[in-house]
Amino acid sequence: MTQTTEAATVDQSLPRPRRNRIHRAWFVAAVAFVTIIGAAAFRSVPGLLIDPLHEDFGWSRGTIGAAVSINLALYGLTAPFAAALMDRFGMRRVVAVALTMIAIGSGLTVWMTAAWQLMLCWGLLVGLGTGSMALAFAATVTNRWFTERRGLVTGILTAASASGQLIFLPVLAVMVDAGNWRPAAVTVALAALVVVPFVWLLLRDHPADVGVAPYGAKEFVPKPPPALGAARRAVTVLFSAARTGPFWLLAGTFAICGASTNGLIQTHFVPAAHDHGMPVPAAASLLAVIGVFDVVGTIASGWLTDRFESRRLLAVYYALRGISLLFLPMLLSATVHPSMLFFIVFYGLDWVATVPPTVALCREHYGEDSAIVFGWVLASHQIGAALVAFLGGVARDVFGRYDMVWYASGALCAAAALMALVIRRRPVTPVVAGA
């Protein structure tokens, strides 16, 4: 009896095993996911407003496409500087300011009366805001908060933009189809403002801010001091990366990625389908369905990136995308046929599946500078998107149809597949102790 009592006393004195808690990194990733969804509201708008703005103000599709081009170009060119600014001022401040700029730019379009105002609000302000919320933000979150599951997290955060498209596209399409595009612009502004409190209260810049190690790290990582000269660092990293072959191959393939997604499908699919007699809400719903399968495809791509060679994944993704675009002109009609649904599913799975392997290749070749390098690679993505957004509108004005644009984009995707295969793997060099 005495021995039993003593044993119980000893058992009670032992420390109880600590329950496994969800790592704080996953909460930060969740906040980033919601934030990107809020910013993605604007990404749903351009394709819906080309025809309404053309009818309301008489602006040519080329003029409207020019405003979209400014937005897409700034979206990309801002990204590397935004990544450096996050190193200087922190993610929370940069992202909160970016969301506010999106809200102001979208809200002011309600009162515009001239094309230059569209380019100022829709192009400049929203372009700078969304550029600061670009995929470089996702890369920064992943690099700081995770040492394991980076491919998966990159895929999830990339899919957030598609999730925003899924949420907002049907709603905005109904608003626009009702005869007035302005409520859609106001909705975008409100969506950006609603997310600001979540960012300010819940987002943290570094694991050290809350006293934890990055997810998967075996040791605590101290927070580095603020990096001074953010703009200079972004330019310095560009010049350093530009002296390497992988940078130009990654930039080239990603420019074609932007040309065949944001610049082409996201901007011109709805008006192209409408040219064939398809109602705008139906075409927008198809674009939203692309967003559904984009989420699946991007997360799956992140999982695959953790397990397979990234350059081979890119080659497969671009080849499949090019094949699907070559068939699109034959599928567009006034009604939705099963063949069109097959295209939507097939293309949706491949929409931004290219992002996780591209981020992984940047990380493999450029290490700690990978987020900024990816920002510049993303700039090429958006420049490609901007060119096709503008040239697609011009082609529609000149030829009266979009067929030439689909075929040219399919051929570019074939070139991107070949470029991806040329990227060489970086040899692993042993680290010398004390070096």
Side-chain angles (χ1 to χ4, degrees):
M1 185 72 176
T2 304
Q3 293 178 350
T4 304
T5 304
E6 291 177 354
T9 304
V10 172
D11 290 342
Q12 291 176 359
S13 65
L14 293 174
R16 295 182 178 179
R18 190 175 182 180
R19 294 181 179 179
N20 292 328
R21 296 180 179 178
I22 299 176
H23 195 282
R24 183 63 179 269
W26 294 109
F27 290 101
V28 172
V31 174
F33 185 88
V34 173
T35 302
I36 295 172
I37 285 178
F42 183 80
R43 303 252 62 82
S44 306
V45 172
L48 299 177
L49 297 191
I50 289 179
D51 286 340
L53 291 177
H54 173 70
E55 296 171 1
D56 201 355
F57 296 102
W59 300 332
S60 69
R61 291 176 176 82
T63 298
I64 301 169
V68 178
S69 296
I70 293 172
N71 173 275
L72 292 173
L74 287 175
Y75 178 93
L77 293 172
T78 304
F81 296 98
L85 286 173
M86 289 178 189
D87 288 341
R88 174 66 178 88
F89 298 104
M91 291 187 294
R92 183 170 61 168
R93 293 178 181 176
V94 173
V95 171
V97 171
L99 288 168
T100 303
M101 291 182 66
I102 294 172
I104 293 173
S106 182
L108 288 177
T109 58
V110 174
W111 292 283
M112 67 182 178
T113 56
W116 68 266
Q117 295 168 346
L118 174 68
M119 296 180 185
L120 175 65
C121 297
W122 201 0
L124 181 63
L125 289 177
V126 178
L128 290 173
T130 53
S132 300
M133 288 290 305
L135 293 173
F137 171 48
T140 302
V141 171
T142 304
N143 289 347
R144 290 185 184 181
W145 281 89
F146 293 86
T147 58
E148 294 181 357
R149 303 284 188 260
R150 280 178 167 175
L152 177 63
V153 175
T154 302
I156 292 173
L157 294 182
T158 304
S161 180
S163 300
Q165 176 176 288
L166 168 64
I167 294 170
F168 289 105
L169 252 177
V171 176
L172 297 177
V174 171
M175 292 180 179
V176 172
D177 194 53
N180 193 345
W181 56 269
R182 290 175 176 81
V186 173
T187 301
V188 171
L190 293 177
L193 283 178
V194 165
V195 182
V196 173
F198 290 93
V199 170
W200 194 254
L201 296 175
L202 300 177
L203 188 65
R204 292 294 178 267
D205 295 323
H206 195 275
D209 290 341
V210 291
V212 300
Y215 179 82
K218 297 180 180 179
E219 297 180 356
F220 181 81
V221 179
K223 183 177 181 179
L228 302 177
R232 182 175 60 188
R233 184 186 174 205
V235 175
T236 301
V237 169
L238 170 63
F239 282 120
S240 177
R243 292 195 292 268
T244 65
F247 173 79
W248 293 106
L249 290 170
L250 289 169
T253 55
F254 224 43
I256 294 173
C257 178
S260 56
T261 54
N262 299 79
L264 182 66
I265 296 295
Q266 193 165 56
T267 303
H268 295 292
F269 178 80
V270 172
H274 190 56
D275 284 346
H276 287 77
M278 186 179 295
V280 170
S285 297
L286 289 177
L287 204 55
V289 173
I290 287 180
V292 175
F293 290 95
D294 181 16
V295 173
V296 178
T298 307
I299 294 175
S301 178
W303 184 85
L304 291 171
T305 301
D306 287 332
R307 290 161 175 80
F308 298 98
E309 192 175 347
S310 297
R311 66 190 187 98
R312 296 186 184 278
L313 290 176
L314 284 179
V316 172
Y317 295 159
Y318 286 121
L320 294 177
R321 183 184 300 176
I323 292 171
S324 66
L325 288 174
L326 293 177
F327 280 96
L328 182 57
M330 296 177 282
L331 304 179
L332 289 170
S333 64
T335 58
V336 180
H337 296 289
S339 56
M340 172 58 77
L341 292 177
F342 179 80
F343 167 83
I344 294 297
V345 173
F346 189 85
Y347 187 87
L349 291 172
D350 199 359
W351 178 274
V352 286
T354 55
V355 173
T358 301
V359 172
L361 287 169
C362 287
R363 189 183 301 118
E364 175 184 332
H365 286 275
Y366 304 104
E368 294 182 355
D369 291 330
S370 61
I372 297 177
V373 172
F374 179 70
W376 285 112
V377 172
L378 178 63
S380 71
H381 180 282
Q382 295 307 114
I383 290 172
L387 287 173
V388 172
F390 171 67
L391 294 176
V394 172
R396 172 61 177 79
D397 289 334
V398 173
F399 300 109
R401 55 195 309 161
Y402 283 100
D403 290 5
M404 185 65 67
V405 183
W406 307 128
Y407 294 136
S409 297
L412 285 174
C413 288
L418 295 175
M419 293 168 64
L421 290 175
V422 176
I423 301 173
R424 294 184 178 180
R425 298 188 64 179
R426 184 179 182 181
V428 179
T429 55
V431 178
V432 180

